[in-house]
């Protein structure tokens, strides 16, 4: 079935370093959403990307949707300890079914 | 701020028993979802529900699972005969539009099957 692959699975960074997580699909995605899940918490919506090549920014977070709408990335500039958590991408793909990526767990050392 | 509420927060049940997980979506939302997350693993889609019927379901959502919106406010997930591997955190989510807009997640129900 359709899958969205997300890498890396884990990332440990020093506070102040940058962080990037990637989602890749073998098929075209109609849209992609990004969620953050703090340890012990529930997923919280961050942003949605719809258009080919779209780039959106939220303070230190930059989200990109690939030109072919098969990949997406989330980049955090100058990480802070409050960025700790697991970041998931979510897409409905072309089947309508909702698929989460495996998630990237970010640890930030102060 | 409106939120999705789920009860109970933790449910322990014996293998083979039926469980009902309850959710109260945000009041003006029309699209409802159940997801599960086995400890340490990714969030997995179970089912989406709109207009009083299932609109999509995953391979996980087999005949042991059912969903209902019995009274216009609650949205329930029933597992008829629980198995050990059903132990997971179950999240309910709701949205105002189809899954191309923000989904609001509840805090989850941790189901432990013993």
């Amino acid at each position: 079935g359709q899958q969205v692959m997300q890498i890396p699975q884990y990332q440990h960074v020093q506070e102040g370093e940058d962080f990037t997580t990637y989602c890749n699909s073998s098929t075209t995605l109609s849209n992609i959403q990004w969620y953050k899940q703090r340890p012990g918490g529930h997923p919280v919506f961050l942003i949605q990307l719809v258009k080919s090549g779209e780039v959106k920014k939220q303070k230190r977070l930059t989200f990109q949707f690939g030109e072919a709408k098969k990949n997406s990335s989330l980049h955090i500039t100058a990480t802070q300890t409050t960025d700790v958590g697991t970041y998931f991408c979510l897409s409905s793909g072309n089947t309508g079914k909702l698929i989460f990526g495996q998630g990237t767990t970010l640890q930030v050392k102060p | 701020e409106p939120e999705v509420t789920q009860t109970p927060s933790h449910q322990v049940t014996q293998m083979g028993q039926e469980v009902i997980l309850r959710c109260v979506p945000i009041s003006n939302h029309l699209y409802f979802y159940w997801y599960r997350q086995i400890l340490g693993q990714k969030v997995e889609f179970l089912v989406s529900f709109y207009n009083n019927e299932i609109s999509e379901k995953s391979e996980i959502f087999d005949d042991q699972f059912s969903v209902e919106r019995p009274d216009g406010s609650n949205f329930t997930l029933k597992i008829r005969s629980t198995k050990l591997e059903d132990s997971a955190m179950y999240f309910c989510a709701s949205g105002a539009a189809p899954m191309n807009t923000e989904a609001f997640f509840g805090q989850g129900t941790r189901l432990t099957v013993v």
Side-chain angles (χ1 to χ4, degrees):
Chain A
Q2 182 173 12
Q3 284 194 339
V4 174
M5 304 301 294
Q6 188 171 355
I7 56 170
Q9 189 175 1
Y10 299 100
Q11 184 87 56
H12 290 75
V13 300
Q14 198 71 40
E15 189 171 22
E17 292 181 339
D18 292 358
F19 160 77
T20 306
T21 174
Y22 302 89
C23 281
N24 298 291
S25 171
S26 57
T27 58
T28 302
L29 305 172
S30 57
N31 65 77
I32 196 155
Q33 299 179 357
W34 285 93
Y35 289 78
K36 176 182 179 181
Q37 185 177 23
R38 291 183 186 276
H42 61 282
V44 175
F45 177 83
L46 294 176
I47 210 155
Q48 176 176 266
L49 304 171
V50 178
K51 299 176 186 173
S52 167
E54 190 169 12
V55 178
K56 287 188 178 179
K57 293 193 175 185
Q58 287 180 352
K59 298 182 181 177
R60 294 179 294 104
L61 276 61
T62 302
F63 304 84
Q64 290 190 324
F65 203 9
E67 293 289 342
K69 299 181 73 172
K70 290 184 176 182
N71 56 73
S72 180
S73 65
L74 158 59
H75 179 82
I76 303 177
T77 303
T79 53
Q80 299 175 358
T81 54
T82 52
D83 295 325
V84 164
T86 300
Y87 294 84
F88 293 96
C89 59
L90 168 65
S91 179
S92 57
N94 55 13
T95 64
K97 291 188 178 178
L98 299 163
I99 305 163
F100 269 100
Q102 292 90 336
T104 297
T105 298
L106 172 65
Q107 293 282 0
V108 180
K109 299 176 206 173
Chain B
E1 184 177 316
E3 58 180 18
V4 176
T5 56
Q6 289 185 244
T7 55
S9 56
H10 192 184
Q11 173 94 47
V12 181
T13 188
Q14 289 206 326
M15 192 169 54
Q17 295 295 307
E18 173 183 287
V19 293
I20 297 177
L21 309 183
R22 303 181 191 279
C23 169
V24 179
I26 293 172
S27 61
N28 62 344
H29 284 182
L30 300 176
Y31 297 84
F32 314 110
Y33 311 90
W34 282 102
Y35 294 84
R36 80 171 186 191
Q37 186 176 32
I38 295 170
L39 188 64
Q41 297 186 23
K42 71 170 186 173
V43 179
E44 299 174 291
F45 168 72
L46 292 178
V47 66
S48 60
F49 190 87
Y50 169 70
N51 200 26
N52 282 322
E53 59 183 23
I54 291 173
S55 45
E56 276 293 344
K57 60 182 182 179
S58 72
E59 296 80 9
I60 302 167
F61 194 88
D62 61 22
D63 292 343
Q64 292 298 313
F65 291 88
S66 62
V67 288
E68 232 183 2
R69 190 156 159 78
D71 56 13
S73 62
N74 291 286
F75 179 50
T76 61
L77 174 69
K78 181 192 289 187
I79 309 175
R80 287 190 185 81
S81 178
T82 49
K83 305 187 283 288
L84 294 176
E85 53 265 39
D86 293 326
S87 295
M89 181 73 89
Y90 288 81
F91 291 107
C92 171
S94 71
M99 201 58 184
N100 56 4
T101 57
E102 177 177 1
F104 293 80
F105 282 76
Q107 300 287 341
T109 293
R110 179 164 296 287
L111 175 65
T112 303
V113 182
V114 296

